[in-house]
Amino acid sequence: MILKLEHIYKDYLQGKMTVPVLKDVSLEVEEGEYVAIMGPSGSGKSTLMNIIGCLDRPTSGNYELAGQDVLKLGENAVASVRLHSIGFVFQNFQLLPRQSALDNVALPLIYAGVRKKVRRERAREALIRVGLEDRVNFKPTQLSGGQKQWVAIARAMVNHPKILLADEPTGALDSHSSKQVMELFRKLNEEGVTVIMITHDRGIAEHAKRIVDIFDGEISERKGEDR
Amino acid sequence: MLENIRLSFQGIWSHKLRSLLTMLGIIIGIASIISIVSTIKGTNEEIKNQLVGSGNNTVDIQLYSEGYQYTINSSADIPRGIYEVTEETREKILDVDTVENVTCYKERINSDGVFYQNTPLSSVAIRGIDTSYFATVGYVIRTGRNFIAGDYTDFRKVVILDQTAASDLFRNENPVGKTIEINSVPFTIIGVVDEASKFEPTIHSIDDYYTYVGGETSGSIFMPSASWPIVYTYDEPENVIVRATSTDEMEDAGKKTEDILNATIADPESEVKYKADNLLEQARSLQQLSAATNNQLIWIASISLLVGGIGVMNIMLVSVTERTSEIGLKKAVGARKSAILAQFLTEAAVLTSLGGIVGVGAGIGMAQVINRISGVAVSISIPASAIAVLFSMLIGIVFGFLPSVQAANLDPIEALRRE
Ligand SMILES: Nc1ncnc2c1ncn2[C@@H]1O[C@H](COP(=O)(O)OP(=O)(O)OP(=O)(O)O)[C@@H](O)[C@H]1O
Ligand SMILES: [Mg+2]
């Protein structure tokens, strides 16, 4: 079991009101699974993903990642989990505007203490893998929305994480590019990477081996025959 | 670390105008301090080298009585128990490691009884000198010849004039070969000496200091010390001049010579004693005076550094807010707090160090301009410049600390949600 979320609650304080966003979410994911999380806008998908990615903390509940109680870890240890175990494709790319595609992809490697030369090699490899070998030195402003998404995916892969989290990875892509992303995710999953992606596109979700629905902060899982 | 420095330069370069404005406070502060320090140092060096050392680092050790220089005007003034400096004492003085050269001379100041034909030469100093006198005080023969061994062994009645005495007595005539009378004894003039390098002060602010150098406006007449008893007394006390190995050693050389000479005075209770001129000490108090006023200027300049530092903090706080999403992203991909802290501190330090370097450059330029306009001597101090740059770096680290901590503490999720 690589992920184990138990009775996760997340409330936001809106003025004096507490707005519950996640309500008693429990989710278990085995190593090597390929999971799609589906739900309408505002249902709490990103909120859940941020908790899984150790970017955010639940208001209450338990969360174990690879057997480790991440909610009890110190700040540096959590940073290390983010750095080495998780690759995150953010909903709106989150690229550094002043740096080239290569430097953006190489960013996590800096914090992993990889030497510059090796960094550049590995970043280039990742960019080649997503088909951007001819855009290596382009700045984000010189890239199309789809290309930015590829750069973001390359960055998530560059540290060879065990878990790949993708928040709407095909949101900015046409159906052809979306297919290519799904192809890449399938390959990564075959290589042993646990993939969890958020989407509200049923067609995209069908690429996953397992679909989890989230509605108004509550989770329901469709079993095999419902699909 | 290197990566951070590279990134800092990139950041500074991509915000040229803003970086320049941020650095401006530091630049102005450092520039003023450097130009003030250069001026202080230049003035001090000029006082020390030109006035104190007169360019040749000699110290006079003369007889003093009750705080006043003891002058011998007639044989009645000769103090008891003090005699010519012996060869042995001379050797001892030469053995002092800060002494390079030594000369002993007998002297009459404001001597009357000096005539050329029937014209008296008033207020002239007459000196009976040894063979190393001219070399020690830095005089060279302009016309005629120097004393030779024969002048001493044969007690020849020959004299050498200095430039002042020569022009006083002879105007434009060549004095060599002429005869003057000293106490009714005829002496032949064999040469004229002059200072090897004329001391021409360029400082305007310390005119008062001329009092120390002046005094010798009347001329001097030199004769071999061997011939001294012909007109004056046998075995008279002598004054001593030593040349120190450097300007800084003048005090030491003077003091040690003074001690050696005083040890030769038979009577320990003697009221007349040798004392070394301490121009260095006088110069030091003068230097302190100029430093005191300039120190106030340094304080004022330091305030502009403080303002500069606050400016750095201000801009960095803005920059942290502006770069929230960058910081959040870095933390999200796994950057530790310390990495972010290091990045921002480096940025602040690089920025202010750069300001410091530019400031040092501007300060040196300003010092040159001050020198051109007002003629005040300036001297660039390398250690002061290095300290200034280090200090600017420190300002960056101190004032960049708060913004950096703020950056390091950013919550990644907060940061990423902001667009
Ligand atoms: N910082 C916050 N403060 C208050 N409410 C918040 C905050 N962050 C998220 N929310 C609320 O939580 C709910 C879920 O947000 P979330 O971003 O998880 O939605 P989502 O399912 O990812 O939607 P989308 O498909 O549009 O990305 C929203 O109603 C949102 O208003
Ligand atoms: Mg979302």
Side-chain angles (χ1 to χ4, degrees):
Chain A
M1 191 99 47
I2 194 153
L3 290 178
K4 189 174 173 193
L5 294 112
E6 286 175 321
H7 311 296
I8 297 285
Y9 286 81
K10 180 73 183 175
D11 303 334
Y12 282 111
L13 213 61
Q14 198 58 261
K16 276 182 186 156
M17 263 184 13
T18 48
V19 183
V21 175
L22 295 180
K23 301 161 192 164
D24 195 18
V25 172
S26 293
L27 180 68
E28 288 183 0
V29 178
E30 297 289 343
E31 186 156 7
E33 269 198 283
Y34 187 172
V35 186
I37 297 175
M38 277 193 75
S41 193
S43 56
K45 305 184 295 293
S46 293
T47 306
L48 176 62
M49 196 65 125
N50 290 338
I51 289 171
I52 295 172
C54 297
L55 292 172
D56 206 355
R57 297 177 142 261
T59 312
S60 69
N62 286 321
Y63 175 23
E64 269 178 32
L65 191 150
Q68 222 175 8
D69 188 347
V70 286
L71 299 180
K72 292 216 171 73
L73 290 179
E75 236 181 297
N76 282 340
V78 173
S80 172
V81 169
R82 287 202 289 259
L83 181 60
H84 297 290
S85 307
I86 298 169
F88 209 122
V89 182
F90 304 97
Q91 191 165 11
N92 30 33
F93 323 132
Q94 301 286 354
L95 301 177
L96 296 178
R98 260 186 275 281
Q99 310 223 342
S100 67
L102 189 76
D103 285 338
N104 265 292
V105 174
L107 185 70
L109 298 175
I110 293 179
Y111 303 111
V114 177
R115 278 192 305 123
K116 185 165 181 170
K117 200 166 154 274
V118 181
R119 235 156 50 206
R120 297 184 74 87
E121 270 166 27
R122 282 174 58 181
R124 190 180 294 272
E125 273 167 28
L127 279 170
I128 290 171
R129 185 144 194 205
V130 300
L132 279 182
E133 57 265 54
D134 54 348
R135 293 289 186 275
V136 165
N137 291 315
F138 281 51
K139 301 264 164 75
T141 45
Q142 299 161 327
L143 296 172
S144 75
Q147 286 165 338
K148 281 189 241 185
Q149 187 64 277
W150 282 115
V151 174
I153 293 170
R155 182 179 59 198
M157 287 165 27
V158 77
N159 237 349
H160 303 306
K162 285 204 284 284
I163 306 162
L164 182 72
L165 305 177
D167 194 346
E168 299 275 9
T170 59
L173 304 181
D174 60 20
S175 60
H176 177 66
S177 313
S178 300
K179 252 199 185 135
Q180 286 176 314
V181 172
M182 287 308 106
E183 184 58 23
L184 177 63
F185 280 14
R186 190 186 56 77
K187 271 191 201 149
L188 286 169
N189 182 239
E190 274 169 12
E191 287 163 20
V193 178
T194 309
V195 179
I196 304 176
M197 68 172 173
I198 288 175
T199 181
H200 51 241
D201 183 327
R202 171 142 299 273
I204 293 297
E206 297 292 348
H207 288 270
K209 294 175 190 154
R210 178 179 162 199
I211 297 173
V212 175
D213 280 307
I214 182 164
F215 189 79
D216 203 11
E218 281 174 292
I219 249 179
S220 62
E221 193 149 345
R222 266 173 278 184
K223 295 296 172 210
E225 67 276 11
D226 297 343
R227 289 178 61 176
Chain B
M1 192 65 204
L2 233 61
E3 185 68 25
N4 278 336
I5 293 174
R6 195 182 62 80
L7 279 176
S8 307
F9 274 111
Q10 214 172 51
I12 290 166
W13 192 244
S14 56
H15 297 101
K16 286 181 225 36
L17 184 64
R18 183 215 274 174
S19 306
L20 187 74
L21 288 175
T22 314
M23 287 190 284
L24 208 59
I26 306 284
I27 293 174
I28 292 172
I30 292 289
S32 3
I33 288 180
I34 286 294
S35 58
I36 294 165
V37 167
S38 303
T39 318
I40 298 176
K41 191 165 172 260
T43 311
N44 283 355
E45 268 170 22
E46 184 141 317
I47 291 171
K48 204 169 87 179
N49 290 335
Q50 296 216 301
L51 299 178
V52 181
S54 286
N56 65 9
N57 304 330
T58 55
V59 190
D60 290 353
I61 300 98
Q62 293 168 314
L63 286 168
Y64 275 80
S65 169
E66 288 167 352
Y68 293 97
Q69 198 183 330
Y70 189 85
T71 51
I72 301 171
N73 292 318
S74 70
S75 45
D77 295 334
I78 293 173
R80 261 174 296 163
I82 303 175
Y83 308 103
E84 269 184 354
V85 177
T86 62
E87 196 52 39
E88 190 191 344
T89 311
R90 219 185 127 80
E91 291 295 328
K92 258 193 210 161
I93 295 170
L94 266 178
D95 280 347
V96 174
D97 51 6
T98 48
V99 170
E100 202 173 83
N101 213 339
V102 60
T103 179
C104 311
Y105 63 96
K106 307 173 174 73
E107 183 179 51
R108 286 283 191 284
I109 291 174
N110 298 330
S111 183
D112 20 84
V114 179
F115 292 91
Y116 172 59
Q117 288 161 348
N118 284 321
T119 333
L121 182 61
S122 55
S123 70
V124 68
I126 303 200
R127 299 206 172 105
I129 61 172
D130 59 17
T131 46
S132 51
Y133 183 89
F134 291 142
T136 308
V137 300
Y139 277 12
V140 290
I141 299 286
R142 287 274 180 252
T143 44
R145 67 164 175 90
N146 202 344
F147 295 131
I148 53 171
D151 295 334
Y152 288 85
T153 52
D154 298 347
F155 308 103
R156 282 183 196 148
K157 285 173 268 184
V158 288
V159 290
I160 291 174
L161 308 189
D162 73 358
Q163 201 68 56
T164 317
S167 51
D168 274 5
L169 271 178
F170 298 96
R171 305 274 159 218
N172 296 323
E173 275 179 77
N174 183 3
V176 176
K178 303 263 172 15
T179 303
I180 57 164
E181 274 178 32
I182 300 170
N183 282 356
S184 307
V185 179
F187 279 79
T188 309
I189 299 169
I190 57 164
V192 176
V193 286
D194 198 9
E195 285 164 61
S197 56
K198 265 275 196 302
F199 156 54
E200 271 158 35
T202 46
I203 309 180
H204 304 302
S205 54
I206 46 170
D207 292 36
D208 327 323
Y209 206 74
Y210 281 77
T211 40
Y212 294 119
V213 212
E216 228 176 282
T217 45
S218 59
S220 302
I221 296 173
F222 305 99
M223 68 173 74
S225 55
S227 309
W228 191 261
I230 300 172
V231 277
Y232 301 111
T233 320
Y234 178 73
D235 208 4
E236 266 185 41
E238 290 180 302
N239 287 328
V240 176
I241 298 175
V242 292
R243 186 208 288 270
T245 46
S246 76
T247 308
D248 291 324
E249 303 295 356
M250 284 170 67
E251 202 172 354
D252 182 75
K255 188 84 195 75
K256 285 182 176 155
T257 310
E258 176 187 310
D259 291 344
I260 292 170
L261 287 168
N262 278 330
T264 64
I265 301 175
D267 177 9
E269 303 290 293
S270 171
E271 279 186 1
V272 182
K273 273 196 149 69
Y274 286 99
K275 189 172 171 310
D277 276 0
N278 204 340
L279 284 177
L280 210 57
E281 191 177 281
Q282 288 158 347
R284 216 174 277 141
S285 57
L286 211 84
Q287 287 173 350
Q288 269 161 13
L289 202 76
S290 77
T293 40
N294 284 323
N295 275 341
Q296 290 167 348
L297 288 175
I298 289 183
W299 278 113
I300 294 168
S302 304
I303 291 174
S304 87
L305 270 187
L306 186 76
V307 174
I310 293 169
V312 171
M313 180 150 79
N314 189 15
I315 298 281
M316 289 219 38
L317 284 171
V318 172
S319 155
V320 167
T321 316
E322 200 186 78
R323 286 155 65 184
T324 301
S325 60
E326 172 199 326
I327 300 159
L329 172 71
K330 285 180 172 175
K331 289 193 89 171
V333 298
R336 287 176 169 216
K337 245 181 173 178
S338 54
I340 304 290
L341 191 72
Q343 184 203 327
F344 276 80
L345 277 181
T346 315
E347 206 170 297
V350 167
L351 190 71
T352 54
S353 307
L354 219 61
I357 291 167
V358 175
V360 166
I364 291 172
M366 246 154 82
Q368 303 299 346
V369 171
I370 291 172
N371 175 256
R372 289 279 159 73
I373 293 174
S374 68
V376 173
V378 297
S379 164
I380 307 306
S381 160
I382 305 272
S385 308
I387 289 171
V389 174
L390 282 179
F391 190 70
S392 335
M393 189 190 277
L394 195 74
I395 288 177
I397 292 170
V398 168
F399 286 95
F401 195 73
L402 184 76
S404 303
V405 167
Q406 210 177 57
N409 280 337
L410 265 180
D411 187 358
I413 199 71
E414 284 281 311
L416 284 178
R417 275 196 187 272
R418 259 187 255 179
E419 290 296 301

